[in-house]
Amino acid sequence: MSAPYQSPISPGRSWYEDSVGERPRYARLDGSLDVDTLIVGGGFTGLSAALHLAERGVSVALLEAARLGDGASGRNGGQFGTGQRQWPEDLEADIGLERSRQLFQMAEDAKAHLHEMMATRGIEADYRPGQLSLVHKRRYIESYRRHADILAERYDYPHARFLTQAEAAERLGSPAYHAGLLDTGTGHLHPMKLLVGTGRAASRAGARLFEETPVTKITHQGGRIEAETPFGTVRAARALLAVNAHGGTLDRGNAAHVMPIRSFIAATEPLAEPDRILPGNEAADDSRFVVRYFRKTPDNRLLFGGREAYSSAEGDIVSQIRKQVRSIWPHLADVRFTHGWGGSVGVTLPRMPYVASPQPGLTVIGGFSGHGVLLSHYTGRLYAERVLGNQDRLAELEALRIPAFPGGTALRAPLLFLAMTWYALRDRF
């Protein structure tokens, strides 16, 4: 029997891979190809763009360096969230109330898009409603209370309710947090099932999907984009670079503005007493800068993620996360973990998406900063709308000021490590 497949770009084998059922394989590119639109990257953004373009008759080729789902889109926490990665009241200070409201509405449209897309394409991704956002420091309590009021009063969003410590403890099954929010207007799902379903729908619509086909160079030749691979060259009138944290040197702007950081998740065996933890089956995140995020699966496993594990070794992933789980639910101190895995998350300095057009015909989308389940799939659709000449809502993201990381390619990773270490210390004290 052959060994289970191991992603070459992400450590550990995920519970998602072992519970998704059949995971289709797509061939490598074999020879050169000419299409209307080239897409580099087989995550949510790229596959969504391929699906919506192919359904409108546009010839599309998508190139993925590994397998579809090996990056963050297939390995993440599965949580939608609400709004952008920054709270809207924080965005107001930078871009004003009107633009902040536009970006909040874009995120609400992204929720509707995902539900409509799954329903109309027959994708079952284990969606469950509800999100808890938990307060780990007393000094944050009032900002969370105000946040619920602001969402209702200035953003017409009545679905988030402030929770006292007692209410949060009842929802969580632990008194470990000081307060929280309950958001009934969002939810969580199985990201690999969503990704596999989107890929199948795109392929059925006529998009040509190629796995294990890394792009080594992108150039602009004679008014067309050319992508070189070890197996042939793809030429197109336009191209979408949707590689997020895996951009390498394909585009200098993407490399300067989107930083890859590791995030890690572990999954337990089915819990013996599942109703003692998250009895309402909401997903949860907390107020730490190095955020913890967790939820139960339909078969009552606990999936728990965080970023305080910096090693890529699977054993280290589980040991670090076990400590965090035990700090919230001491009765799970000896629970058995069946999976530990990680992946690279693309983050930007302001934690907002990076959208740019670095050369004629080339669009870059990435940097979702841990909010990609909700936004990345939708931005793929927005890119398709741009290509098709419909309303260009992608321009709302392109207009955001996203500064480059300081330090250049040599120093930005060490500087980020120092920053993450500093914020991790602030989370504790």
Side-chain angles (χ1 to χ4, degrees), residues 183-397:
D183 187 345
T184 58
T186 190
H188 53 103
L189 49 65
H190 190 304
M192 184 68 87
K193 288 186 177 181
L194 174 60
L195 183 133
V196 167
T198 306
R200 284 185 172 133
S203 181
R204 286 196 302 266
R208 302 183 66 178
L209 310 180
F210 299 97
E211 293 183 322
E212 299 178 315
T213 305
V215 174
T216 56
K217 188 177 181 181
I218 295 177
T219 58
H220 196 266
Q221 303 287 342
R224 292 179 72 79
I225 301 288
E226 291 191 1
E228 298 179 13
T229 82
F231 314 111
T233 299
V234 178
R235 300 175 184 86
R238 66 192 67 83
L240 169 62
L241 185 61
V243 291
N244 204 19
H246 298 280
T249 59
L250 288 179
D251 176 73
R252 290 183 179 180
N254 186 79
H257 291 83
V258 179
M259 170 76 78
I261 65 171
R262 289 293 202 190
S263 187
F264 299 90
I265 304 177
T268 71
E269 63 187 348
L271 300 172
E273 300 176 282
D275 289 343
R276 291 183 65 181
I277 294 172
L278 296 167
N281 293 319
E282 299 94 353
D285 64 76
D286 71 14
S287 57
R288 289 175 171 84
F289 182 87
V290 186
V291 66
R292 297 179 183 180
Y293 52 96
F294 41 92
R295 63 194 184 94
K296 287 190 307 191
T297 63
D299 65 347
N300 290 317
R301 299 169 187 267
L302 176 66
L303 267 59
F304 195 103
R307 294 197 189 108
E308 288 187 270
Y310 293 104
S311 167
S312 293
E314 183 175 346
D316 288 340
I317 294 171
V318 170
S319 65
Q320 289 287 335
I321 289 178
R322 181 184 293 279
K323 295 176 184 177
Q324 298 174 13
V325 169
R326 185 171 58 224
S327 71
I328 301 173
W329 300 284
H331 74 281
L332 293 184
D334 298 320
V335 70
R336 187 173 72 90
F337 285 83
T338 59
H339 296 77
W341 70 95
S344 294
V345 180
V347 302
T348 65
L349 271 176
R351 300 298 181 95
M352 294 293 287
Y354 174 67
V355 178
S357 301
Q359 58 178 281
L362 178 63
T363 300
V364 178
I365 302 176
F368 296 102
S369 305
H371 211 54
V373 177
L374 181 64
L375 296 176
S376 61
H377 210 286
Y378 190 56
T379 55
R381 172 179 168 175
L382 297 185
Y383 173 77
E385 290 182 354
R386 169 179 283 186
V387 170
L388 295 165
N390 298 336
Q391 60 178 335
D392 189 5
R393 294 193 67 190
L394 198 61
E396 295 178 27
L397 296 176

Side-chain angles (χ1 to χ4, degrees), residues 16-34:
Y16 298 133
E17 292 173 275
D18 287 337
S19 59
V20 72
E22 180 188 2
R23 186 179 171 193
R25 280 192 176 271
Y26 298 91
R28 288 180 176 144
L29 180 69
D30 184 13
S32 295
L33 189 63
D34 282 82

